[in-house]
Amino acid sequence: MELVLTQQELEPLPRQEKVPFVFKNEGLLTSTYKKEIRNNFFHSNPKSIFGIKQRIKSKQYQFTSSIDTILKLSVFVIALVVALN
């Protein structure tokens, strides 16, 4: 039995650069409205309607509903039982 050792030159991974987030408003909005929207987006008041909506959206994506999980799990179990029989 023979052991052969080879050394391979690998290129280093490129460094990821942080790209700043650019908030753009497009459409038929006036410039004062655009400034207000931009300000609200980055400095939203948690008691405002926009702040409440953003909080609800973020919580909505953090947790899956239990009914959704139970349905997916039951479909998986049924498919597994059918596949094994």
Side-chain angles (χ1 to χ4, degrees):
M1 214 185 243
E2 186 177 325
L3 178 65
V4 178
L5 295 174
T6 59
Q7 188 173 11
Q8 189 177 22
E9 293 287 329
L10 298 175
E11 295 179 15
L13 292 173
R15 290 189 175 205
Q16 293 182 348
E17 296 180 17
K18 290 187 178 181
V19 179
F21 178 73
V22 178
F23 183 77
K24 283 194 222 176
N25 282 322
E26 296 177 2
L28 301 172
L29 302 175
T30 62
S31 61
T32 55
Y33 187 74
K34 287 181 183 180
K35 287 178 188 176
E36 180 133 358
I37 296 262
R38 185 180 306 119
N39 187 30
N40 283 343
F41 184 77
F42 289 110
H43 308 288
S44 65
N45 182 3
K47 295 180 182 177
S48 69
I49 294 175
F50 180 77
I52 294 169
K53 282 172 49 178
Q54 288 299 102
R55 195 172 340 116
I56 290 171
K57 284 182 184 178
S58 67
K59 286 182 183 179
Q60 191 176 29
Y61 291 115
Q62 287 176 353
F63 303 105
T64 59
S65 68
S66 59
I67 296 172
D68 186 34
T69 307
I70 291 170
L71 286 173
K72 287 180 182 178
L73 186 61
S74 63
V75 168
F76 174 74
V77 169
I78 291 170
L80 187 64
V81 169
V82 169
L84 293 177
N85 287 335

